[in-house]
Amino acid sequence: MSDSAPVGKADFRPARAAATAAAGAQHYPVGALYVVATPIGNLADITLRALHLLGLADAIACEDTRHTQQLLRAYDIDGQPLIALHQHNEAAAAQGVIERLQAGQRVAYVSDAGTPAISDPGARLAAACAQAGQRVVPLPGASSVTTALSAAGLAGDGAFVFQGFLPAKAGEREAAVQALAQEPRAVVLLEAPHRIGALAQALAALGERPLTVARELSKQFEQIATLACAQLPTWLAQDAQRQRGEFVLVLHPAPTGAQDGDAERVLRLLLAELPLKTAVKLAAEITGAPRNALYQQALAQRDGGEI
């Protein structure tokens, strides 16, 4: 989901010899699609098996041929035909890949960065190949999703939901955020720099629920911060650099059952003395529970005659 860091003065070519030594003796069946994870920023994050396979493949299908050429040049891999296969032509281009597989070729597929088919092209290609009876072999590696999760320090059992990009339209985005308020597990979101401000405003409605913001992962200007959802717009505005790069956001788990009960009790006490909106605001600040969820509880209590 993000461009690779510049090669600079680094010489990655010796890695090919290490890749051959480590992975060359392994079995790579012909007539198979290899779904290959590539770096999300730092070119050194590619695996030895991925390097060996990219050199071994009869053809390399890729989201952007120009982008993939940069990676291949860095590791002195050349000679294979590159096949453009992206979100706009994936269904049609998949047939050409299948024909190559049926002819006994090894075809690698790479997206621009990270693991294909995770908010990137590749899923329809893998499904089409499997349906045609061809083998699909995953080569694991970099993923912005797991990278952000590993640094977020989530409490609890580690369960999470991958949401990806929220809708671009304001009304649909706000409705999606309201749904997230009811999700007890951690939620992983992705966002582009030109939309991060709008997403921040929408997520602010979740109040004190913790959020880990990760931008430019594995790159020179990588930044990871954990703060309350309500603080995200201010945090972004404090430094123009913070609005640049690709974003992964990890919404931490909602309060557990005991905490939920505490929030409900605090809300009920406040509603007995204060206007609804004021009571909801204070209950969110006191308990850390999502403001939208508390607001819905307050409405239910009012409509049910409890207050």
Side-chain angles (χ1 to χ4, degrees), residues 74-86:
Y75 285 99
D76 199 23
I77 299 172
D78 58 29
Q80 302 98 324
L82 300 185
I83 304 167
L85 192 150
H86 44 75

Side-chain angles (χ1 to χ4, degrees), residues 9 30 42 60-61 73 76 84 99 113 129-130 132 137 142 158 174 177 182 195 200 206 213 218 225 260 272 305:
K9 296 181 180 179
V30 297
N42 191 317
I60 299 174
R73 288 195 196 105
D76 199 23
E99 291 173 1
C129 291
V137 181
E174 291 173 4
V177 170
Q182 309 303 319
R195 286 180 16 183
L206 299 182
V213 184
S218 80
D260 289 343

Side-chain angles (χ1 to χ4, degrees), residues 118-284:
I118 310 298
S119 281
D120 271 340
R124 285 190 289 179
L125 171 63
C129 291
Q131 188 174 10
Q134 304 303 135
R135 185 170 177 179
V136 179
V137 181
L139 269 63
S143 165
S144 63
V145 175
T146 53
T147 301
L149 282 168
S150 69
L154 299 180
D157 60 6
F160 71 93
V161 176
F162 176 65
Q163 182 69 39
F165 292 91
L166 293 187
K169 294 183 178 179
E172 295 176 1
R173 182 171 56 242
E174 291 173 4
V177 170
Q178 290 178 8
L180 293 181
Q182 309 303 319
E183 172 55 64
R185 295 165 293 183
V187 182
V188 181
L189 304 171
L190 305 177
E191 195 51 276
H194 67 281
R195 286 180 16 183
I196 189 62
L199 178 61
Q201 292 295 333
L203 289 174
L206 299 182
E208 297 303 307
R209 187 164 173 178
L211 178 77
T212 295
V213 184
R215 53 175 293 273
E216 296 290 81
L217 283 171
S218 80
K219 296 183 181 180
Q220 181 178 358
F221 299 108
E222 174 184 274
Q223 189 172 25
I224 301 173
T226 297
L227 59 158
C229 287
Q231 298 172 348
L232 182 56
T234 300
W235 184 84
L236 288 172
Q238 287 174 343
D239 185 348
Q241 295 294 329
R242 291 178 178 175
Q243 300 186 42
R244 298 181 178 179
E246 303 291 341
F247 289 82
V248 184
L249 302 99
V250 181
L251 183 64
H252 286 230
T256 58
Q259 292 172 305
D260 289 343
D262 291 343
E264 186 176 350
R265 182 176 61 84
V266 169
L267 178 61
R268 182 175 286 106
L269 292 172
L270 291 173
L271 285 170
E273 305 293 337
L274 299 170
L276 186 145
K277 288 185 177 180
T278 304
V280 168
K281 179 177 182 296
L282 290 175

Side-chain angles (χ1 to χ4, degrees), residues 2-74:
S2 60
D3 293 334
S4 295
V7 175
K9 296 181 180 179
D11 185 359
F12 295 98
R13 291 172 298 176
R16 288 288 306 284
T20 299
Q26 298 179 17
H27 178 55
Y28 299 90
V30 297
L33 172 71
Y34 292 83
V35 183
V36 184
T38 55
I40 60 174
N42 191 317
L43 285 180
D45 286 339
I46 198 164
T47 71
L48 294 178
R49 192 156 70 112
L51 275 181
H52 182 72
L53 187 280
L54 288 174
L56 184 67
D58 297 293
I60 299 174
C62 39
E63 183 178 2
D64 186 327
T65 57
R66 294 167 300 180
H67 182 94
T68 299
Q69 281 176 339
Q70 295 177 12
L71 173 68
L72 298 178
R73 288 195 196 105

